[in-house]
Amino acid sequence: MEEADVKKYTEISKLGEFGLIKHLTDKIELLQPSTLKGVGDDAAVIAPPAAGEVMLLSTDMMAEGIHFELTYTPLRHLGYKTVAVNVSDICAMNGEPTQVVVSIAVSNQYSVESLDEIYKGIKFACKEYKVDLVGGDTTSSRSGLVIDVTILGKAPKEKVVYRNGAKPGDLLCVSGDLGASYAGLLLLEHARKAVGADPAKKPELQGYGYVLQKQLMPRARVDIVEMFRASDVVPTSMIDISDGLASEIHHICNASQTGCLLEELKVPIHEETTKVAKENGVPPSLFALSGGEDYELLFTINPADLKKLKEAGMITVIGEILPAEDGIMIAAKDGKMHPLAVQGWDGLKAK
Amino acid sequence: MEEADVKKYTEISKLGEFGLIKHLTDKIELLQPSTLKGVGDDAAVIAPPAAGEVMLLSTDMMAEGIHFELTYTPLRHLGYKTVAVNVSDICAMNGEPTQVVVSIAVSNQYSVESLDEIYKGIKFACKEYKVDLVGGDTTSSRSGLVIDVTILGKAPKEKVVYRNGAKPGDLLCVSGDLGASYAGLLLLEHARKAVGADPAKKPELQGYGYVLQKQLMPRARVDIVEMFRASDVVPTSMIDISDGLASEIHHICNASQTGCLLEELKVPIHEETTKVAKENGVPPSLFALSGGEDYELLFTINPADLKKLKEAGMITVIGEILPAEDGIMIAAKDGKMHPLAVQGWDGLKAK
C-alpha cells in the first residue's frame, strides 16, 4: 500500500462532546441577518421576521436502514439531503427557509472524519439554500445513524399556503418530474444486491445520473416559490411530494374537502425514470404515483393565475380539483376513470 | 393469569405512518396564542413575538443506552424529561418557551401503547410549561429509541442572557441543589444490576424519592426566570447545569473571559444526595461538581441586584467571578485553593 493511501481516522471519543461540537461547527458562515446568535450558547437567538410575516417550523428525521443505507449513500449526500427535505417543507408552505438545527446520533464506531463528511453536506446545503446552521446536538447511539433536522422559515402571513385551500375548478399542478427518486433507489438497491452476491462485480450505474441524483441529492424547489413571488401568484393549496403523488393528492383533497381528477398521461416523467421502470417491468406511472421522495411541489392554482406564471415551463398541469362528491379519480391511460389508489411509501408500514 | 392482566398491544404497523401521527397528536391542546397552525401541514405556522422580543431556538436529543436505560426509565418520564431539558435551555437564556416539535425513532417492536406512554409524558410537560406541541416526525429505527426535541422560545431582546456576560465582582449563584440527579442515576444503576443478578430481588428505592425524581423527571426552572422578571433583575450570564457544576462554571468563565472562586462548602446538596454519596464512599460534592443532569440554573449577578431578588431563598450564592488571571478556582473544604477540575459527564466520551 502506498503511503498516501494510509488515511488517519480520529476516534470521536478523542475530542469529547464539546471538542466535537467545536470541531464540527467551526467556521460556520451565517448568511441570515436574523441570526443574532448561532451555535455556542444554550439556544440560538433569532430576530423576529418583518411586520406582516409569520414563522414556519418543521422537522424531519432520517434513520439508517429505514431512510438510507450507508452501503450506497455517501455521507456527504446524506447530510445534504436531510437539510434539503426540510427546506422542501418550508417551500411547501410557500415560505423561505432561514435557520436549521441538526441533531445526530452516531455509533462510537464512527470517526470524526465521517461526521465531517455529513457536515460538509449539511453546510453545502445551508449555503445553497441560504439557511444558517444555528445549533444542534451530537450524541452517541448504541446502533444506527439517526439525523434529525428542524427548520425555521418565514413568509408573509397572507402568502402562507396550506393543504386545505383547494377549490373545485382549481388546476392541479406539479413542479419538475416524478418517480425519478424511486427509480434511483431501485438501481442502488439492485446494485447493492449484485455486489453483495459478487463483490468483484462493479455496479452498472452509468447513464443513470439524473435518477441517482434525485435519490441521493434531491433539491428543494425554492425556485418555484421564487417564481410564485415574481409572478404575484399564491397557490390555493400546496404540499411537497415526499410519499408519492397519489398519497399527496389525497392529503390535499381530504384537507380541502374536495375531489380531484388526475390525468395519468399528463404526469411528467423523465426518460431515465421510464427506462428504469421498463427494465423492471412496471409502468413508469407507478413510480410517479407511488414512488415518493421526489420533493417536487404539488399545488393547486386558480385557472386565471396560470397565464400570470412566469417561466410556467417549470410546472405541469396534471389535473383539476372537483367537488368532493365526484371523488378522487384518475383518468388512466386506457381512457377509463378509476378511484386513485394510495400505495405510498410508508416509513413505518413498509419496513 | 387474571383476565384483567391481559393487555392488548397494537403493532405500530397496523396504523401506518399517517394513522400513527393522527393517533398520537389527536386532541392536542394549544395554549400559545402565537400558534397559528399546529400539527397537520408541512410546517407549523407561528406568529412573531411582540415588538422588542426575539426568538430562541434549541434542540436536545436523547438516545437509548446513552441517556436512558429502558429497564428503569418509565416511558412517560422519558417523554416528560425530553421536553423539560429543552425548556431548561430556554430558561438558561432567560426566556419563555413557546413551541416544541418532537421526532422519535422507534423499533417496530414497539407497540402503539408504548408510544402513547411517551406522548403522555410529552403532553404533560407541554401543559406544565405552557408549550405547544406543533409538529414532529415518527419513524422506525433498526434499533434503539431516539427522541429529539426542538424548542422555540422568546424573550425581550435586552433581557436575553448569554454565557459571556459575567464580570469580575459578580456573584456566582445556583438554583435548587446539585448532585441529586446523579445520586438517583446511581441508585437506579445499582438496582438494575442487583435485579439482573437475582430477578427475585426487589430493588430498595424507598426513601429516595427526591433524588429519583430529579433523575427521572427533572423540572426546568421556569420559576427562577419568573422571579428574575418579577424582581426586575437580569443576570449577567447564565447556563443550565446539564454536565455538572464544574464544567458549566468553565463554560461561563471561558465565554466571559474571567476567572472564578467557587466555595465548595456553599454548594447546596440535598440530604438524600449526601446519603447516597456516603453509601458509595465518595464526597457528596463530587456528585454536585461532576454529576450533571441537574437542570438547575447557574448564573451570575451584579452584587447590587442580590437584595432586589424576591424569594431569594430559591437561590444560593456559591462564589464570585474573578479577573481571568486569577484562574478558575475552588476553595475546598480543607480551606485550600485548587484549580477547579472538570470531570463532567460527557455523553460521547464516557460511553
Side-chain angles (χ1 to χ4, degrees), chain B residues 266-297:
Chain B
K266 291 192 176 168
V267 175
I269 297 175
H270 191 276
E271 57 188 16
E272 276 185 27
T273 308
T274 301
K275 194 172 165 214
V276 176
K278 288 191 172 161
E279 284 162 3
N280 285 275
V282 294
S285 62
L286 187 68
F287 283 14
L289 288 169
S290 307
E293 285 208 286
D294 286 314
Y295 299 105
E296 296 292 345
L297 294 172

Side-chain angles (χ1 to χ4, degrees), chain A residues 33-53:
Chain A
S34 62
T35 305
L36 303 180
K37 170 79 188 176
V39 172
D41 216 300
D42 290 281
V45 183
I46 317 278
E53 290 188 323

Side-chain angles (χ1 to χ4, degrees), chain A residues 17 41-42 44 46 55-58 61 65 67 103 108 137 139-140 142-143 148 150 163 240 346-347 351, chain B residues 17 41-42 44 46 55-58 61 65 67 103 108 137 139-140 142-143 148 150 163 240 346-347 351:
Chain A
E17 190 179 354
D41 216 300
D42 290 281
I46 317 278
M55 327 262 315
L56 305 165
L57 181 67
S58 186
M61 185 180 249
H67 299 92
S103 294
N108 258 342
D137 198 5
T139 178
S140 37
R142 280 281 162 89
S143 40
D148 189 40
T150 301
R163 298 177 179 178
D240 73 328
D346 188 320
K351 313 275 166 154
Chain B
E17 188 180 353
D41 217 299
D42 290 281
I46 317 279
M55 329 258 321
L56 305 165
L57 182 67
S58 186
M61 186 180 249
H67 299 92
S103 293
N108 259 340
D137 198 4
T139 179
S140 36
R142 280 282 162 88
S143 40
D148 189 39
T150 301
R163 297 178 180 177
D240 73 329
D346 187 322
K351 311 274 166 156

Side-chain angles (χ1 to χ4, degrees), chain B residues 53-231:
Chain B
E53 289 188 324
V54 292
M55 329 258 321
L56 305 165
L57 182 67
S58 186
T59 190
D60 252 312
M61 186 180 249
M62 303 190 99
E64 181 178 345
I66 307 294
H67 299 92
F68 56 89
E69 293 292 342
L70 288 175
T71 40
Y72 57 69
T73 310
L75 290 171
R76 208 181 287 202
H77 289 68
L78 183 62
Y80 178 91
K81 187 170 176 176
T82 56
V83 173
V85 303
N86 275 276
V87 171
S88 181
D89 279 322
I90 299 299
C91 292
M93 304 297 289
N94 202 29
E96 184 189 316
T98 51
Q99 283 91 11
V100 286
V101 292
V102 177
S103 293
I104 303 185
V106 284
S107 149
N108 259 340
Q109 307 304 315
Y110 273 66
S111 64
V112 173
E113 287 74 12
S114 47
L115 275 170
D116 279 341
E117 281 299 300
I118 298 175
Y119 264 81
K120 269 181 198 160
I122 289 171
K123 289 174 184 174
F124 184 84
C126 285
K127 203 166 179 179
E128 178 174 343
Y129 299 114
K130 298 184 196 73
V131 174
D132 286 350
L133 175 61
V134 298
D137 198 4
T138 306
T139 179
S140 36
S141 120
R142 280 282 162 88
S143 40
L145 176 63
V146 176
I147 309 185
D148 189 39
V149 172
T150 301
I151 192 161
L152 205 57
K154 62 178 183 176
K157 190 176 176 185
E158 79 281 7
K159 292 199 171 162
V160 174
V161 177
Y162 297 89
R163 297 178 180 177
N164 66 359
K167 299 265 177 303
D170 283 353
L171 301 176
L172 183 70
C173 310
V174 74
S175 66
D177 57 78
L178 302 181
S181 180
Y182 187 76
L185 180 64
L186 215 58
L187 281 177
L188 290 165
E189 280 288 347
H190 289 174
R192 180 169 72 119
K193 279 172 195 157
V195 173
D198 174 10
K201 203 169 175 176
K202 282 222 169 173
E204 286 170 27
L205 298 171
Q206 281 255 324
Y208 294 103
Y210 182 79
V211 297
L212 292 171
Q213 168 109 3
K214 282 289 271 188
Q215 166 58 217
L216 293 172
M217 208 175 153
R219 288 191 141 77
R221 299 307 304 261
V222 288
D223 55 335
I224 300 290
V225 173
E226 280 162 18
M227 183 189 65
F228 291 143
R229 291 276 190 287
S231 315

Side-chain angles (χ1 to χ4, degrees), chain A residues 109-164:
Chain A
Q109 306 303 315
Y110 273 66
S111 64
V112 173
E113 286 74 12
S114 48
L115 275 171
D116 279 340
E117 281 299 299
I118 299 174
Y119 264 81
K120 270 181 198 161
I122 289 171
K123 289 175 184 174
F124 185 84
C126 284
K127 202 165 179 180
E128 178 174 343
Y129 298 114
K130 298 184 196 72
V131 173
D132 287 349
L133 174 60
V134 297
D137 198 5
T138 306
T139 178
S140 37
S141 122
R142 280 281 162 89
S143 40
L145 176 64
V146 176
I147 309 185
D148 189 40
V149 171
T150 301
I151 192 161
L152 205 58
K154 62 177 183 175
K157 190 176 178 186
E158 79 280 7
K159 293 199 170 162
V160 173
V161 178
Y162 296 88
R163 298 177 179 178
N164 67 356

